[in-house]
Amino acid sequence: MTDTTEAEPQALPGDGLREGLVDELRRRLGEALVATELRPNDDLWVRIDTASWREAGEALAAMGFEYFCYLSAIDWMPSPYGRGEDDPTEPPPERTTEVVQGVTGGATRFQLLARVTDTRRHVGITLKSDVPDDDPTMPSWSAVYAGANWHERETHEMFGIGFAGHPDLRNMYLPTEFEGYPLRKDFPLLARMVKPWPGIVDVEPMPADEAVPTESPDVEHAETDSTAVAAAAAAEPDTSEPGDAST
Amino acid sequence: MTDLSERQQLSYIAGQAADARLNVELETEGMTLNIGPQHPATHGTLRIIVRLDGEQVVWAEPSCGYMHRGYEKLTEVRTYPQVTTLVNRIDWLGSFANEVPFILAAEKLMEIEAPPRAQWIRTILFELSRIANISLFLGDLGVQLGAVTPAFFAFRDREHVLNLIESVTGGRFHPNFDRIGGLKDDLPKGFVDETRRVMRKMRTYCDEIDDLLIGNEIFQARTRGVGIIPKDVALQYGLSGANLRASGVDWDLRRDQVVPMAWDDVDFKVWTHPDGDSFARCWVRLQETREATKIVDQLLDGLPAGPVMAKVPRIIKVPAGEAWVSTENPLGEMGYYVVSKGDLGPFRVKIRSASFNNISVAPWVLRGVYVPDVITILASLYFILGDIDR
Amino acid sequence: MGLVDRGRMPGAIEKLMNLGRSYSMWVYQWGLACCAIEMGAAFASPRYDVMRLGVIPLPASPRQADLVVVSGTVTDKMAPAVLRLYDQMPEPKYVISMGSCANCGGPYWDSYSVTKGVDQLIPVDIYVPGCPPRPEALLEGIVLLQQRIKHEDMAAKWRGETTEPLRREPIVVGGGNVA
Ligand code: SF4
């Protein structure tokens, strides 16, 4: 289909490739591969034991996953402030802060998240690993993937997760005197705390959740939603250019 | 140092020998030089601290964060339609391209797909923003090396592309035009003919830049063999886009992954260059701009008819789940890891932006180069501050 | 100018000086984010061509500038640099704040790292709203500033009246009040 200056690239991965990758990872890591989730022709998640995080990186690098995509973390605790749309004059509503992990499960509040890609076989893997709650420190990948250096600095700054073996965990973005870890869910956005979110001041009556686009003329101007435009576009075929397109 | 041609190796060795001689003859003293945060050569507010020994860089460290706006936190307090407004502004030269992977990730979670016409228009706008973005890079490149003329050319011809984008989306940049399930609107009348005309113009612009800059002897003398990034280093640092392809890695997400966009239906060439130096990076970008104009032409030929919006509920709630989608943006691989808990807004969005990785190689590649080459190398790596700091 | 020093300036001379000042403004481009590209389009592109308004966008340092255009998001980390830049400029100096970010924080009004408006740091003469404002809007801002300069009372400055830049009422391009 396309032609390149080098040899023809291999075909896109089909089924089977990702299963093979899981098998190979299990062979290399054994028990350290805690959980996997595979969606055929789509994506692959694996969860690695905390202690083997670095070995997992080395194994993947040896398996041809040379391209380092990103490394970050997730805080699974729902925010105690919701989306910051509470009216500050009212007492704050009750919110659950129960930690529920996503794909491949987990046991801790913080999880590391990383992705590496094999540019020859055109396949990527998303890795996760639990970060211990009492001592949030993980082994560093900076010796395995040089690019992880900056990503770990960023993760340290945003989540307060330490990386053992990282050369220099200075702040990357924020001034040195900045307090708190912004991407933790319990970090409040103060601007939203002191002033009611403008969206709640003059809300229009919200349509029902399951409502589908209708042909009513005033829907077109509803600013909160855009889907109505589809109906409008479908109703006025002369704004499109099917004639032009076929020439 | 792997994957260097013999010529490069020889010139490298010769350079080292010359430096050694110089250092014996002249006692040099260490010096720390601060470039930025506001410096015409840094495309914004990047600050670089370099320690010099004579004219040579011993150690260099970019200091980011002057444009850190906290996107990842802000996405957690926005609804899905509001997030597109925000992510527009990450890579501000190719805004439309930023929306697409996010929307695709949300659509993947909702298990809907945009109708074919919407996919094609998305791809057209995506490539138009690539042209707008890289054409400015090519003009700006001259400014960094001391040639001002190409910048005027770039601003002149980029306006035509911006006019096209404006005619469709209503905004010169930051269109906020992509919706979950399709597009806000259809193409305006006359768009197809006008786009064909502009694409011809942009090809002329590429030829002009080729004559004026890339083919220029002085330009080549300043960029060839400067800032060589070998293949394995480029992969380790996660360089993407033209920077990776200029190091000889044949990897383009438009071709190498399946996303519901129209790239599968057009023919295009993925350009690579074996050298990995500053010149290669600029050259690959120039070829890519040409290629993008051809992609747009082909897409216009086969534009399918039909609606531009799928059926989606009026209030968008994305089912719980996690999805990763990345696309080949003008600067490289841009991806979003979206975690949803079934709410109106995402639970967590990890934004993987290309420039962050691309610039993280700077301490490695700047070591041992001469001061004037610092600017050349940074210019050829091509970063946008919003894309680094987010 | 001894007359000026003593605060007694003939009107005609004052008019002449104001005219000269308003049509030879050296503007320092403090481009910070997306808006910087639109500022670049206004200042460097042949389509908008700011020099026809008598504005010279090429000073080498803020010490040579009469006007600074702050375009883009000012972050807390950047704020000290903005202040320092302003302090380096010689009087009389003017500030145009371009874009919602520089005006009030814009789309990042609730961010933890963004300064909510450059006017918290330095006095602003002209606000150009928009995200990003079109280059034409910036040019209009410059024209409005020139009109203001033309009517300035130079002598009052030397008499020590109303020289505080803070007491100048800011203008919003496209109308509107600064509350
Ligand atoms: S006002 Fe808008 S366009 Fe301007 S810097 Fe802010 S986000 Fe970017």
Side-chain angles (χ1 to χ4, degrees):
Chain A
M1 175 186 90
T2 52
D3 111 58
T4 57
T5 47
E6 280 191 358
E8 275 294 305
Q10 291 185 7
L12 291 174
D15 278 319
L17 173 65
R18 290 192 174 84
E19 281 87 342
L21 289 175
V22 173
D23 291 342
E24 177 156 12
L25 257 184
R26 183 157 288 129
R27 200 168 49 72
R28 286 180 187 251
L29 294 174
E31 286 297 295
L33 188 69
V34 185
T36 62
E37 162 111 7
L38 193 150
R39 295 200 191 131
N41 288 329
D42 182 14
D43 217 343
L44 172 62
W45 284 263
V46 295
R47 183 153 68 88
I48 309 285
D49 186 47
T50 309
S52 307
W53 178 247
R54 196 191 146 121
E55 286 73 50
E58 280 162 358
L60 284 165
M63 280 163 63
F65 287 83
E66 293 172 324
Y67 173 78
F68 172 78
C69 191
Y70 69 86
L71 185 146
S72 186
I74 303 186
D75 180 357
W76 285 111
M77 189 184 81
S79 166
Y81 312 105
R83 299 226 320 280
E85 295 181 352
D86 305 334
D87 192 339
T89 53
E90 311 236 318
E94 282 291 310
R95 283 206 178 83
T96 161
T97 50
E98 192 199 347
V99 175
V100 185
Q101 285 84 6
V103 177
T104 72
T108 53
R109 178 179 160 193
F110 293 105
Q111 270 189 337
L112 274 201
L113 179 71
R115 189 177 171 90
V116 289
T117 306
D118 185 340
T119 51
R120 277 184 223 99
R121 284 183 284 180
H122 307 311
V123 60
I125 291 189
T126 304
L127 293 104
K128 286 186 179 177
S129 182
D130 288 356
V131 180
D133 279 331
D134 43 350
D135 171 27
T137 304
M138 293 294 288
S140 168
W141 263 17
S142 55
V144 189
Y145 291 102
N149 182 329
W150 278 29
H151 288 256
E152 284 175 359
R153 267 172 76 185
E154 188 195 355
T155 311
H156 170 72
E157 180 180 357
M158 292 293 159
F159 290 94
I161 296 173
F163 288 93
H166 189 280
D168 178 15
L169 277 178
R170 262 176 311 133
N171 266 10
M172 176 123 228
Y173 292 140
L174 299 165
T176 328
E177 60 270 19
F178 192 88
E179 279 175 26
Y181 301 107
L183 278 184
R184 286 193 177 181
K185 288 279 181 181
D186 48 11
F187 181 91
L189 286 173
L190 287 176
R192 282 180 170 259
M193 300 288 131
V194 295
K195 200 173 144 203
W197 156 243
I200 62 168
V201 179
D202 57 41
V203 269
E204 294 169 38
M206 283 296 227
D209 276 8
E210 65 279 359
V212 284
T214 52
E215 232 88 342
S216 78
D218 54 354
V219 189
E220 235 178 292
H221 305 291
E223 276 188 77
T224 49
D225 201 336
S226 53
T227 55
V229 180
E236 299 166 55
D238 47 347
T239 57
S240 62
E241 283 183 303
D244 249 349
S246 53
T247 51
Chain B
M1 286 286 196
T2 52
D3 290 309
L4 296 190
S5 71
E6 203 172 322
R7 180 175 59 79
Q8 288 167 335
Q9 275 172 10
L10 281 178
S11 76
Y12 183 75
I13 294 167
Q16 296 264 308
D19 295 341
R21 264 202 313 282
L22 252 183
N23 285 350
V24 175
E25 281 163 18
L26 300 170
E27 272 293 301
T28 54
E29 209 172 277
M31 171 186 167
T32 307
L33 182 68
N34 177 34
I35 305 176
Q38 173 66 344
H39 187 272
T42 56
H43 292 267
T45 51
L46 182 73
R47 176 173 171 212
I48 303 158
I49 302 153
V50 287
R51 189 155 311 138
L52 302 175
D53 177 17
E55 273 277 293
Q56 246 179 338
V57 177
V58 187
W59 168 93
E61 175 78 43
S63 158
C64 320
Y66 289 94
M67 202 31 63
H68 178 64
R69 307 191 266 196
Y71 285 107
E72 289 182 20
K73 184 77 180 175
L74 294 186
T75 53
E76 289 171 13
V77 291
R78 301 274 198 275
T79 62
Y80 283 93
Q82 285 170 346
V83 171
T84 45
T85 330
L86 215 54
V87 297
N88 262 178
R89 287 151 177 80
I90 293 176
D91 157 16
W92 49 64
L93 286 179
S95 307
F96 184 80
N98 296 330
E99 301 174 4
V100 173
F102 179 79
I103 292 287
L104 290 180
E107 286 178 354
K108 196 169 170 181
L109 285 171
M110 293 177 75
E111 294 176 354
I112 52 174
E113 213 168 84
R117 186 172 172 88
Q119 290 181 15
W120 284 62
I121 298 176
R122 266 183 198 171
T123 318
I124 291 173
L125 288 173
F126 198 105
E127 294 299 325
L128 284 181
S129 54
R130 183 189 311 277
I131 297 167
N133 187 330
I134 301 189
S135 62
L136 193 61
F137 158 79
L138 292 168
D140 204 39
L141 194 63
V143 178
Q144 320 253 334
L145 298 177
V148 186
T149 322
F152 291 109
F153 282 36
F155 273 113
R156 182 196 65 196
D157 286 336
R158 186 170 161 273
E159 289 290 332
H160 301 300
V161 184
L162 290 185
N163 281 352
L164 283 181
I165 296 178
E166 188 182 357
S167 73
V168 185
T169 67
R172 280 161 59 88
F173 46 111
H174 304 337
N176 191 21
F177 189 63
D178 224 343
R179 299 288 189 267
I180 291 175
L183 292 169
K184 183 173 170 295
D185 227 333
D186 210 327
L187 294 178
K189 270 214 169 73
F191 178 82
V192 174
D193 293 336
E194 180 65 15
T195 312
R196 286 223 171 84
R197 205 174 58 76
V198 171
M199 288 304 111
R200 274 199 298 279
K201 233 180 214 157
M202 291 317 285
R203 278 193 285 273
T204 323
Y205 166 74
C206 287
D207 294 341
E208 274 173 358
I209 289 286
D210 210 347
D211 291 344
L212 204 61
L213 201 64
I214 307 284
N216 184 312
E217 263 173 54
I218 303 170
F219 178 82
Q220 298 212 1
R222 284 202 58 186
T223 50
R224 284 221 188 234
V226 169
I228 297 171
I229 303 176
K231 205 172 183 170
D232 53 340
V233 176
L235 283 168
Q236 275 216 349
Y237 277 96
L239 259 61
S240 50
N243 292 338
L244 189 63
R245 287 190 284 276
S247 294
V249 182
D250 190 10
W251 169 247
D252 189 321
L253 288 166
R254 287 177 288 177
R255 182 197 64 196
D256 296 339
Q257 97 181 342
V258 189
V259 283
M261 296 279 278
W263 288 305
D264 297 344
D265 304 308
V266 291
D267 267 347
F268 62 97
K269 187 174 161 85
V270 176
W271 293 87
T272 61
H273 199 288
D275 281 1
D277 54 7
S278 301
F279 176 78
R281 292 190 278 276
C282 304
W283 183 85
V284 168
R285 288 216 174 79
L286 177 68
Q287 303 304 333
E288 266 176 21
T289 319
R290 284 210 178 106
E291 211 59 46
T293 59
K294 289 180 202 155
I295 294 177
V296 172
D297 274 349
Q298 291 180 42
L299 287 170
L300 290 176
D301 288 337
L303 198 62
V308 292
M309 192 78 191
K311 268 214 177 327
V312 285
R314 289 216 46 196
I315 303 281
I316 288 175
K317 274 195 178 170
V318 174
E322 295 172 32
W324 158 262
V325 173
S326 63
T327 51
E328 186 73 30
N329 275 38
L331 292 162
E333 178 181 10
M334 170 131 198
Y336 296 84
Y337 189 85
V338 180
V339 181
S340 172
K341 291 237 163 164
D343 277 339
L344 289 173
F347 182 76
R348 160 117 174 84
V349 179
K350 162 68 193 165
I351 303 170
R352 191 268 187 212
S353 58
S355 297
F356 185 70
N357 281 42
N358 287 353
I359 201 70
S360 75
V361 77
W364 186 90
V365 69
L366 290 182
R367 206 173 298 138
V369 304
Y370 291 99
V371 180
D373 292 344
V374 172
I375 302 297
T376 321
I377 293 170
L378 287 177
S380 74
L381 277 174
Y382 190 32
F383 51 85
I384 283 176
L385 255 293
D387 208 36
I388 299 178
D389 291 350
R390 293 176 309 238
Chain C
M1 298 273 272
L3 281 177
V4 179
D5 286 349
R6 267 173 276 130
R8 289 202 308 273
M9 182 145 61
I13 295 186
E14 184 181 277
K15 262 217 177 93
L16 202 64
M17 286 181 73
N18 280 342
L19 204 65
R21 277 193 316 133
S22 61
Y23 289 125
S24 63
M25 258 193 294
W26 288 67
V27 43
Y28 190 69
Q29 313 181 24
W30 189 253
L32 295 168
C34 347
C35 283
I37 309 296
E38 285 297 62
M39 180 177 69
F43 284 176
S45 88
R47 180 164 169 186
Y48 297 104
D49 184 20
V50 78
M51 285 200 206
R52 74 199 147 96
L53 299 178
V55 169
I56 302 136
L58 305 163
S61 101
R63 287 167 216 273
Q64 302 168 353
D66 306 304
L67 163 68
V68 60
V69 179
V70 182
S71 56
T73 324
V74 183
T75 56
D76 290 348
K77 198 170 175 181
M78 196 66 182
V82 175
L83 257 183
R84 195 162 143 202
L85 154 105
Y86 184 73
D87 290 343
Q88 284 178 356
M89 287 170 60
E91 284 275 0
K93 52 191 170 188
Y94 304 92
V95 179
I96 293 184
S97 150
M98 178 184 184
S100 318
C101 282
N103 293 352
C104 64
Y108 317 100
W109 68 277
D110 48 356
S111 171
Y112 52 86
S113 58
V114 172
T115 308
K116 315 293 179 289
V118 72
D119 48 5
Q120 297 189 356
L121 306 167
I122 57 180
V124 173
D125 293 278
I126 310 274
Y127 292 93
V128 186
C131 182
R134 296 184 62 95
E136 289 94 333
L138 178 61
L139 298 190
E140 186 182 346
I142 289 175
V143 171
L144 286 174
L145 181 67
Q146 285 173 334
Q147 281 169 7
R148 152 170 293 186
I149 292 175
K150 265 184 244 164
H151 296 113
E152 238 168 20
D153 187 358
M154 287 270 284
K157 182 182 167 78
W158 295 97
R159 286 196 300 269
E161 296 163 11
T162 60
T163 56
E164 275 285 288
L166 283 173
R167 257 186 267 148
R168 295 200 295 256
E169 265 295 301
I171 302 177
V172 181
V173 171
N177 286 327
V178 187

